[in-house]
Amino acid sequence: MEQTFIMIKPDGVQRGLVGEIVGRFEKKGFYLKGLKLMTVERPFAEKHYADLSSKPFFHGLVDYIISGPVVAMVWEGKNVVTTGRKIIGATNPAESAPGTIRGDFAVEIGRNVIHGSDSVESARKEIALWFPEGIAEWQSSVHPWIYE
């Protein structure tokens, strides 16, 4: 089983989309392994987005992420990184298909509701950064009804 890091950004939290987003991942058959509501400090946000530090939008992105609480989550399941990105939709909401989170709930690229790891490697790094205390180890009783 693979794990991914998903973050509901401040606009998603402020708009009351947390339950809807969690529900979409649960309904797909993924397992929630870690969840916390938190306010992000600037140095932490800069570390999270370090790979984008040379981009012109970096400072605006950091300002956005620290502007309000976020919900940090770890999800587990078969191909959860790739499938999670499909559930989320394209970075630009205008290119996101209806039925995706961004396709349904976002208009502006700078207010696109959610972040998801883009690879297994980045998921490992992001999970280690956001959940240094570790995550819950459990398996759902419906596991055999979802996975062969």
Side-chain angles (χ1 to χ4, degrees), residues 5 7-11 13-14 35-46 48-49 61-73 129-131:
F5 173 74
M7 174 180 50
I8 303 173
K9 297 177 181 179
D11 56 321
V13 174
Q14 294 290 340
L35 175 113
K36 57 185 169 182
L37 175 73
M38 60 187 290
T39 303
V40 180
E41 299 293 328
R42 183 174 299 279
F44 189 88
E46 289 172 347
H48 173 76
Y49 286 118
L61 179 58
V62 169
D63 288 343
Y64 162 52
I65 293 303
I66 67 171
S67 68
V70 301
V71 173
M73 299 177 284
L129 177 66
W130 288 81
F131 289 86

Side-chain angles (χ1 to χ4, degrees), residues 3-4 81 85 116-124:
Q3 293 179 339
T4 194
V81 173
R85 298 284 292 184
S117 299
D118 61 5
S119 68
V120 172
E121 181 182 334
S122 66
R124 284 190 194 110

Side-chain angles (χ1 to χ4, degrees), residues 4-88:
T4 194
F5 173 74
I6 301 292
M7 174 180 50
I8 303 173
K9 297 177 181 179
D11 56 321
V13 174
Q14 294 290 340
R15 292 176 56 199
L17 299 175
V18 174
E20 171 76 25
I21 291 168
V22 169
R24 288 185 183 207
F25 281 84
E26 285 180 324
K27 287 173 188 167
K28 181 65 179 176
F30 296 137
Y31 304 125
L32 183 61
K33 296 291 188 140
L35 175 113
K36 57 185 169 182
L37 175 73
M38 60 187 290
T39 303
V40 180
E41 299 293 328
R42 183 174 299 279
F44 189 88
E46 289 172 347
K47 188 172 184 181
H48 173 76
Y49 286 118
D51 60 323
L52 301 174
S53 62
S54 64
K55 303 288 184 181
F57 56 83
F58 174 73
H59 295 291
L61 179 58
V62 169
D63 288 343
Y64 162 52
I65 293 303
I66 67 171
S67 68
V70 301
V71 173
M73 299 177 284
V74 177
W75 288 93
E76 185 176 273
K78 185 176 181 182
N79 299 315
V80 71
V81 173
T82 301
T83 305
R85 298 284 292 184
K86 290 177 183 176
I87 292 168
I88 290 169

